[in-house]
Amino acid sequence: MRDFARDHSALALNTATLGHNVDGHGAGWSTERVIDACAERGFGAITYWRREIGARAVAIGERTRSAGLVVSGLCRSPFLVGPLAPPRQAMLDDFHASIDMAADLQAACLTICVGGVVEGTHSMVESLKQVAEIIAGVAPYAAMAGVKLALEPLHPVYGGNRSCLVTLRDAVDLCETIGHPTVAIAVDVYHVWWDLTLGAELKRAGASRLAGYHLCDWLADTSDVLLDRGMMGDGVADLKGLRRAIEEVGYNGHCEVEVFSANNWWKRDPNEVLDICVERFRTVC
Ligand code: ZN
């Protein structure tokens, strides 16, 4: 296992940790200020949300790299299916736009949140089938743009509206069904910490299909499954065990702190939040 106590250059910030992904939240720091604050603390990378980037993708990518960091990812595709997905053509247009933005940023990957069960089907199988068809259709465009698509299985609690993809097992199956090398997987502690098959499924995925590892914690007394994630060390997830499992199969990429926390971390001074991210990364991850 890598020794993060001595070297935290693998640490990445997902800017959602500062509340930047939801209107009305966060301290309102400019992207430049976030980049500088991360660089000062020795972060290795930043993952952005599309709403922060606007028409400045090329400039923000260059600014990030000139500060000595890389762009570890871009959040995210539109929901592809289910009740929150835009109408088909609008969804495809937006999916392509998200790929273009990731390419302009030179982001290591674009996160894909597939969307919930297709209305009227009452079927995870049918919903995943439609997801596979959509991604298979878009994958060649992403590959031409040099963008890796990172499918993120979400916790089953989101199955209804946000993601009919709820286990690493199904994500590996989806990759195999699509069969395109630009389609990979993002593993997020929040969504998979409970899964006793994780080690076996990580082995089945293999390092080449692992495009990201996201860190936070699951609070034992969580009050909101969307906006009450814990900081690493404050919850019940076996963070070192999870990292050992993903590194055992060869993952050596960035580890991205992604804490959605409307009533706690998003209310704090970002300087404090970033300092604590570094400290927890070095001690409990
Ligand atoms: Zn995530």
Side-chain angles (χ1 to χ4, degrees):
M1 252 170 102
R2 291 176 285 178
D3 184 359
F4 291 165
R6 292 169 187 273
D7 175 6
H8 65 272
S9 59
L11 171 62
L13 176 75
N14 184 307
T15 60
T17 305
L18 304 181
H20 285 198
N21 58 318
V22 179
D23 276 330
H25 289 282
W29 278 16
S30 69
T31 301
E32 287 75 8
R33 192 167 174 194
V34 173
I35 293 168
D36 291 341
C38 287
E40 280 163 22
R41 290 168 174 81
F43 282 68
I46 302 179
T47 287
Y48 295 107
W49 286 70
R50 288 169 70 191
R51 66 202 303 281
E52 299 167 279
I53 304 300
R56 300 195 300 145
V58 171
I60 290 173
E62 286 172 357
R63 180 72 168 73
T64 307
R65 285 182 290 281
S66 72
L69 295 96
V70 302
V71 181
S72 39
L74 177 67
C75 296
R76 59 179 172 66
S77 72
F79 293 116
L80 311 181
V81 298
L84 301 179
R88 178 60 66 107
Q89 192 56 51
M91 178 278 292
L92 287 173
D93 291 347
D94 196 44
F95 197 175
H96 285 92
S98 64
I99 290 167
D100 293 342
M101 184 182 281
D104 286 347
L105 278 166
Q106 295 181 31
C109 64
L110 171 70
T111 302
I112 310 295
C113 288
V114 303
V117 170
V118 176
E119 289 157 299
T121 67
H122 303 278
S123 171
M124 298 289 265
V125 172
E126 173 59 25
S127 303
L128 286 168
K129 190 168 158 238
Q130 293 191 23
V131 167
E133 286 164 6
I134 292 165
I135 295 175
V138 173
Y141 182 84
M144 288 264 290
V147 172
K148 189 149 261 207
L149 302 176
L151 300 169
E152 185 163 344
L154 304 190
H155 190 284
V157 75
Y158 300 111
N161 60 0
R162 289 178 177 265
S163 183
C164 56
L165 182 63
V166 296
T167 60
L168 182 59
R169 175 200 66 196
D170 293 350
V172 178
D173 285 348
L174 196 50
C175 284
E176 290 188 347
T177 300
I178 297 165
H180 195 292
T182 209
V183 180
I185 299 168
V187 176
D188 187 321
V189 163
Y190 195 73
H191 302 302
V192 304
W193 68 273
W194 54 272
D195 187 349
L196 301 183
T197 71
L198 201 74
E201 295 299 333
L202 285 167
K203 287 196 183 90
R204 195 162 72 92
S208 66
R209 284 210 194 100
L210 296 172
Y213 178 57
H214 303 172
L215 287 167
C216 66
D217 212 332
W218 184 281
L219 297 174
D221 58 348
T222 187
S223 61
D224 183 325
V225 293
L226 194 58
L227 298 181
D228 187 35
R229 293 188 184 198
M231 181 62 70
M232 299 86 73
D234 289 345
V236 298
D238 176 11
L239 296 173
K240 285 193 190 284
L242 290 161
R243 184 162 70 86
R244 186 176 302 112
I246 196 167
E247 292 194 358
E248 267 176 13
V249 304
Y251 182 79
N252 62 2
H254 287 103
C255 303
E256 174 184 321
V257 178
E258 185 183 29
V259 179
F260 294 62
S261 174
N263 291 318
N264 185 357
W265 298 98
W266 290 358
K267 292 190 166 166
R268 302 196 192 194
D269 179 345
N271 287 300
E272 181 198 356
V273 177
L274 294 173
D275 286 342
I276 292 174
C277 286
V278 173
E279 185 233 314
R280 299 292 179 86
F281 189 75
R282 294 180 72 108
T283 53
V284 302
C285 294

